[in-house]
Amino acid sequence: MTVVFWISVAVVAYVYLAYPALLHAWARLRPAPFVSSHEATPGVSIVIAARNEGPRLAARIDNLLHLDYPADRRQIIIVCDGCSDGTHDVLEGYADTVEVVTLPPSGKALSLNAGVAHARFDTVVFADARQAFAPDALRELVAPFADPTVGGVTGELLLDCESALFANRRTHADRRHGAPSPIQSAAADRRHDEDRRTILSTIADGVGVYWRYEKQLRRLESTVGSTVGATGAIYALRRALWRPLPADTLLDDVLAPMRAVMAGSRVVFSEHAHAFDRATVDADAESRRKVRTLAGNYQILWLEPALLLPWHNPVWLQYVSHKLGRLAVPYAMLTIFVASIVLSDRAFYSAALWGQVAFYLLAGYGAVLELTSRVRESTRHARVVSSHTTAQEAS
């Protein structure tokens, strides 16, 4: 059991410590630079798959129309995936600048397939309706395509909790959110809002730390050869490298880039091609995202088993270390816990056990705080609605 304990510790340590250190050394000793040209403006087709994104779509299209890129070298394609919220009414105002592909409810993967099929340029840029691009994002994103070995480019998604461009916005938003209503108890609401802001800030900051760590890995993987995925909010592929996605694909931004890598091309990271978004502040939403990511990585192994073969996968070491290693970590941590129990009659392993117990109790406490906060939020919202209804009936 001692051997099992230390093997499991080694798995966790390799994934989160040794692998990044290996990449750092590799990037310093044997970097693989690529050519970039900011003068070239190849034709680009921007594809956005949208389902009931009417309220935010106008701002997103305006953002794309105001990018620093020649209008005649840019095609904007919105794929309406079973939209039923008035999205088409919004798009009618952009009939001269946006091309619309309408589908019955089909899912994101089939929507992306339809968008690429409609593209008329050789470079396809994938984006989401929620985020916004920096003015020079498109130029920065396509610059590495001047290198013929580059088949895909992933940009950098900046979250409000990490980007100076979002400085203080979350704080101001929280202040507005925390302003007490005249019909509420001021003291109780102040306590509630302080607790809520603390929890939301903790969740968002945790997401930000993880995201900065993830981007550093991508930056290093790009430096030594190729990343093993892209950022769904901002990435581009040569259209010739696109292979239609299966309808149930969960992670298009991993499967499509890895197929390009398997075809012999590089997918590189452009740290100057920026998209902006807000960090998730809902623990449930973040949990669902992580579960979806884990399930998607298992699915990719089913769809592309050749990724497991080093003679077929040019970035086999990176893929195994980055993607498969993450899948192994939960099992390794469970094994460490069980082994610590079995070996707890020894001082070191007893200390390791109690350290893990403390860690999991703190995590559970955080989850209880989040759940309690959401219950209070729901109760307060119901109280406000009831008060407004009573006031309207009285008037």
Side-chain angles (χ1 to χ4, degrees):
M1 190 58 71
T2 302
V3 173
V4 171
F5 175 92
W6 286 109
I7 289 176
S8 300
V9 169
V11 169
V12 177
Y14 174 77
V15 170
Y16 290 110
L17 298 175
Y19 176 58
L22 173 63
L23 284 178
H24 273 286
W26 191 351
R28 289 177 63 88
L29 298 175
R30 297 192 63 182
F34 54 88
V35 176
S36 280
S37 173
H38 292 85
E39 303 301 321
T41 54
V44 297
S45 296
I46 305 171
V47 175
I48 295 179
R51 173 178 290 183
N52 295 338
E53 295 285 2
R56 66 179 78 181
L57 204 51
R60 184 61 170 119
I61 294 172
D62 288 338
N63 168 249
L64 295 175
L65 292 175
H66 288 89
L67 296 179
D68 176 23
Y69 208 82
D72 62 339
R73 307 295 293 159
R74 179 195 62 214
Q75 177 191 22
I76 301 174
I77 304 167
I78 306 295
V79 183
C80 283
D81 177 26
C83 296
S84 59
D85 69 337
T87 294
H88 288 284
D89 295 333
V90 174
L91 293 174
E92 284 180 1
Y94 298 91
D96 295 336
T97 53
V98 173
E99 299 176 28
V100 180
V101 177
T102 302
L103 299 178
S106 305
K108 185 178 181 181
L110 294 186
S111 297
L112 294 180
N113 290 342
V116 175
H118 194 77
R120 65 173 182 266
F121 291 118
D122 292 333
T123 302
V124 183
V125 172
F126 299 93
D128 290 333
R130 187 177 68 248
Q131 295 87 13
F133 282 2
D136 62 347
L138 213 51
R139 287 185 179 273
E140 294 289 348
L141 192 64
V142 302
F145 285 111
D147 190 323
T149 68
V150 172
V153 182
T154 177
E156 180 174 11
L157 179 63
L158 293 174
L159 302 177
D160 57 341
C161 55
E162 62 173 332
S163 170
L165 297 178
F166 283 100
N168 298 321
R169 286 193 184 182
R170 191 179 70 221
T171 301
H172 296 327
D174 288 339
R175 286 173 183 162
R176 290 195 299 271
H177 175 71
S181 168
I183 63 175
Q184 296 171 315
S185 167
D189 285 342
R190 277 198 299 270
R191 288 194 300 270
H192 168 81
D193 291 334
E194 288 172 1
D195 291 343
R196 183 65 175 168
R197 282 199 298 270
T198 299
I199 293 169
L200 296 185
S201 176
T202 300
I203 295 171
D205 291 343
V207 172
V209 168
Y210 168 80
W211 187 231
R212 285 191 291 271
Y213 170 82
E214 180 70 17
K215 287 190 293 187
Q216 180 61 14
L217 287 186
R218 292 186 182 183
R219 185 177 292 108
L220 292 169
E221 288 169 346
S222 175
T223 300
V224 302
S226 180
T227 66
V228 292
T231 301
I234 178 169
Y235 76 102
L237 285 175
R238 296 188 192 272
R239 190 176 59 172
L241 292 172
W242 177 267
R243 288 170 50 196
L245 300 170
D248 59 348
T249 300
L250 295 174
L251 300 179
D252 65 276
D253 51 359
V254 177
L255 180 58
M258 286 308 301
R259 283 176 166 178
V261 172
M262 296 279 282
S265 295
R266 296 177 64 182
V267 176
V268 299
F269 179 72
S270 175
E271 60 185 335
H272 300 297
H274 293 154
F276 304 105
D277 199 0
R278 293 191 176 277
T280 300
V281 293
D282 185 330
D284 284 345
E286 179 61 14
S287 177
R288 288 192 299 270
R289 184 196 67 79
K290 289 180 178 178
V291 169
R292 179 176 175 274
T293 299
L294 288 172
N297 281 315
Y298 280 114
Q299 182 192 57
I300 287 171
L301 291 176
W302 175 261
L303 295 173
E304 294 289 344
L307 288 168
L308 296 173
L309 306 176
W311 54 90
H312 283 297
N313 185 353
V315 293
W316 180 83
L317 177 62
Q318 295 95 308
Y319 184 78
V320 169
S321 301
H322 191 160
K323 297 298 183 183
L324 299 191
R326 300 280 179 87
L327 299 180
V329 164
Y331 300 104
M333 293 183 68
L334 177 61
T335 302
I336 291 170
F337 187 74
V338 172
S340 298
I341 295 175
V342 174
L343 299 170
S344 59
D345 56 334
R346 306 181 199 177
F348 175 83
Y349 298 103
S350 177
L353 174 61
W354 286 110
Q356 292 171 82
V357 169
F359 173 80
Y360 292 128
L361 286 176
L362 286 173
Y365 177 66
V368 170
L369 285 180
E370 166 65 10
L371 177 61
T372 303
S373 177
R374 283 191 280 122
V375 170
R376 289 177 180 172
E377 182 77 18
S378 177
T379 302
R380 184 174 69 163
H381 177 71
R383 189 168 64 246
V384 170
V385 171
S386 177
S387 298
H388 280 303
T389 301
T390 302
Q392 289 174 355
E393 290 175 349
S395 62

